[in-house]
């Protein structure tokens, strides 16, 4: 019988996303900075770190998602990080938008996109940093006790 276990997503800070994470399944969160209806992409950010997210697989054209029109709304996306040989077009942001760093060769191909209005991004980031610190701490040697 084939293995039917669902692949879990790695909860990741936007600041940690890099090409070395290709082609992993990631769960990310950030503030909505831009929504391009024609290309079905959004740009999310957390501080100065930003990520392009392709939402074409998870948005239903027949169902409204009014929260996508809310500037600075918090969203959570789950999908696979992919790379493009050609740089992806970056949106033109308003002069009031924060300055952000975006890798135009990386895009998260989202399979789930949700509004996360009550998510505290600072707490989200601290929890991920704490989990990473525990994961990199060597296990105690119990043989000497």
């Amino acid at each position: 019988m084939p293995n039917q276990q669902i692949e879990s997503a790695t909860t990741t800070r936007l600041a940690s996303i890099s090409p070395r994470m290709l082609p992993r399944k990631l769960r990310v969160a950030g503030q909505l900075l831009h929504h391009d209806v024609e290309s079905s992409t959004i740009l999310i950010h957390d501080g100065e770190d930003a990520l392009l997210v392709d939402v074409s697989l998870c948005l239903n054209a027949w169902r409204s998602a009014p929260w996508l029109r809310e500037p600075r709304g918090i969203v959570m996306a789950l999908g696979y990080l992919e790379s493009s040989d050609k740089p992806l077009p970056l949106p033109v942001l308003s002069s009031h938008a924060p300055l952000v760093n975006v890798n135009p060769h990386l895009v998260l191909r989202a399979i789930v996109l949700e509004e996360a209005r009550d998510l505290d991004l600072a707490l989200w980031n601290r929890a991920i940093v704490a989990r990473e610190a525990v994961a990199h701490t060597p296990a105690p040697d119990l043989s000497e006790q």
Side-chain angles (χ1 to χ4, degrees), residues 62-73:
W62 305 109
R63 197 177 114 227
S64 175
W67 49 269
L68 276 174
R69 291 185 213 93
E70 293 179 21
R72 310 286 225 155

Side-chain angles (χ1 to χ4, degrees), residues 22-58:
L22 293 167
R24 281 208 248 160
K25 188 177 185 182
L26 304 176
R27 179 183 301 273
V28 298
Q31 283 188 309
L32 182 63
L33 193 55
H34 183 77
H35 177 211
D36 186 339
V37 176
E38 286 184 28
S39 68
S40 294
T41 58
I42 62 172
L43 181 65
I44 62 173
H45 82 102
D46 183 16
E48 59 188 34
D49 303 298
L51 178 66
L52 287 167
V53 180
D54 178 336
V55 296
S56 60
L57 296 176
C58 53

Side-chain angles (χ1 to χ4, degrees), residues 29-137:
Q31 283 188 309
L32 182 63
L33 193 55
H34 183 77
H35 177 211
D36 186 339
V37 176
E38 286 184 28
S39 68
S40 294
T41 58
I42 62 172
L43 181 65
I44 62 173
H45 82 102
D46 183 16
E48 59 188 34
D49 303 298
L51 178 66
L52 287 167
V53 180
D54 178 336
V55 296
S56 60
L57 296 176
C58 53
L59 289 184
N60 183 341
W62 305 109
R63 197 177 114 227
S64 175
W67 49 269
L68 276 174
R69 291 185 213 93
E70 293 179 21
R72 310 286 225 155
I74 306 292
V75 298
M76 185 179 296
L78 181 132
Y80 291 91
L81 189 64
E82 296 181 0
S83 178
S84 173
D85 292 334
K86 293 187 336 186
L88 300 165
L90 297 178
V92 176
L93 303 175
S94 76
S95 60
H96 301 291
L99 295 175
V100 294
N101 300 316
V102 184
N103 184 334
H105 293 277
L106 294 179
V107 63
L108 185 75
R109 193 83 52 206
I111 52 178
V112 175
L113 179 71
E114 297 177 337
E115 178 183 28
R117 181 179 307 226
D118 296 328
L119 180 67
D120 179 336
L121 282 175
L123 181 59
W124 166 271
N125 288 325
R126 285 195 310 270
I128 294 170
V129 167
R131 185 201 68 218
E132 291 169 348
V134 169
H136 291 90
T137 303

